[in-house]
């Protein structure tokens, strides 16, 4: 049975952090849906690349979600953190033990909702102070319970492979790494 992942995009998200996750998960056979929290499907990355999200937040049913993912980047992370409907979804998903991933500045969104309280987590170096309540780590990727966090663009492939491993197993993650000539 295919796994369903939703990744939330806002103007100013970090290109590689979002698209590496989408690319590698799709290669693994995971149904990943890009969801715009803007009022339009066109989202402009932090490096001014326009792309079309698969759906708009208000038009998306998340009931089949196996994982929710937040890319970092500015001002994208700021917009994600201010979007109340996303905050409610993340909180409810966490309460059910649903898997959540966040990279770069985006772990601060989870911290602001209290989702990192007492958990080990990481973030972009200048965002580490925003991990209130978390046990801060300098590891590339940290999974504590149902939440996975990562440091930034340079760790995006490791982050994506970790998420794949959680959903489909180490063998599939290793297969995808090998297929893109990535050494874990």
């Amino acid at each position: 049975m295919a796994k369903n992942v939703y990744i939330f995009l806002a103007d100013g998200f970090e290109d590689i952090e979002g698209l590496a996750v989408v690319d590698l998960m799709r290669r693994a056979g995971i149904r990943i849906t890009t969801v715009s929290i803007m009022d339009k499907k066109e989202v402009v990355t932090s490096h001014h690349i326009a792309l079309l999200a698969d759906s708009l937040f208000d038009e998306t049913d998340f009931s089949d979600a196996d994982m929710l993912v937040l890319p970092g980047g500015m001002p994208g992370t700021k917009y994600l953190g201010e979007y109340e409907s996303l905050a409610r979804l993340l909180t409810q998903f966490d309460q059910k033990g649903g898997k959540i991933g966040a990279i770069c500045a985006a772990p601060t969104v989870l911290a602001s909702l209290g989702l990192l309280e007492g958990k080990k987590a990481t973030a972009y170096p200048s965002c580490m102070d925003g991990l209130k309540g978390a046990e801060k780590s300098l590891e590339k990727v940290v999974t504590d319970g149902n939440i996975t966090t990562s440091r930034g663009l340079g760790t995006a492939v490791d982050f994506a492979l970790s998420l794949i491993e959680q959903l489909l197993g180490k063998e599939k993650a290793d297969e995808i790494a090998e297929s893109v000539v990535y050494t874990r």
Side-chain angles (χ1 to χ4, degrees):
M1 185 166 165
K3 298 293 183 180
N4 296 296
V5 175
Y6 295 88
I7 186 166
F8 300 93
L9 306 180
D11 286 341
F13 82 90
E14 171 52 53
D15 315 43
I16 301 302
E17 293 166 4
L19 298 180
V21 171
V22 172
D23 180 295
L24 293 174
M25 285 193 156
R26 286 187 176 165
R27 288 172 191 260
I30 295 168
R31 277 194 227 121
I32 184 162
T33 302
T34 57
V35 180
S36 171
I37 67 156
M38 311 309 284
D39 59 0
K40 59 191 177 13
K41 282 190 178 180
E42 183 178 284
V43 181
V44 179
T45 72
S46 61
H47 293 95
H48 311 290
I49 299 170
L51 60 90
L52 288 179
D54 297 317
S55 66
L56 296 174
F57 189 95
D58 292 337
E59 298 173 355
T60 307
D61 175 6
F62 301 103
S63 63
D64 65 352
D66 292 296
M67 182 181 285
L68 305 177
V69 179
L70 305 178
M74 285 296 178
T77 296
K78 178 179 173 288
Y79 297 142
L80 292 175
E82 293 171 348
Y83 197 70
E84 290 180 19
S85 296
L86 177 59
R88 277 191 302 278
L89 176 65
L90 289 166
T91 301
Q92 292 167 355
F93 200 68
D94 179 66
Q95 289 170 349
K96 295 180 200 169
K99 294 182 182 303
I100 300 172
I103 185 170
C104 191
T108 63
V109 173
L110 303 182
S112 72
L113 298 172
L115 305 185
L116 298 181
E117 193 68 39
K119 291 187 182 251
K120 189 174 171 186
T122 194
Y124 190 74
S126 65
C127 297
M128 293 294 280
D129 287 344
L131 298 182
K132 299 206 179 351
E135 176 190 333
K136 298 171 188 159
S137 171
L138 298 179
E139 295 172 70
K140 289 182 185 181
V141 179
V142 175
T143 300
D144 189 340
N146 63 316
I147 296 183
T148 300
T149 54
S150 189
R151 305 225 52 209
L153 184 153
T155 65
V157 173
D158 294 292
F159 177 63
L161 292 171
S162 173
L163 301 180
I164 291 167
E165 184 172 332
Q166 290 175 54
L167 293 173
L168 300 178
K170 183 174 181 348
E171 187 176 313
K172 187 61 159 182
D174 289 345
E175 174 191 316
I176 298 303
E178 184 178 339
S179 78
V180 297
V181 194
Y182 184 79
T183 304
R184 289 177 85 182

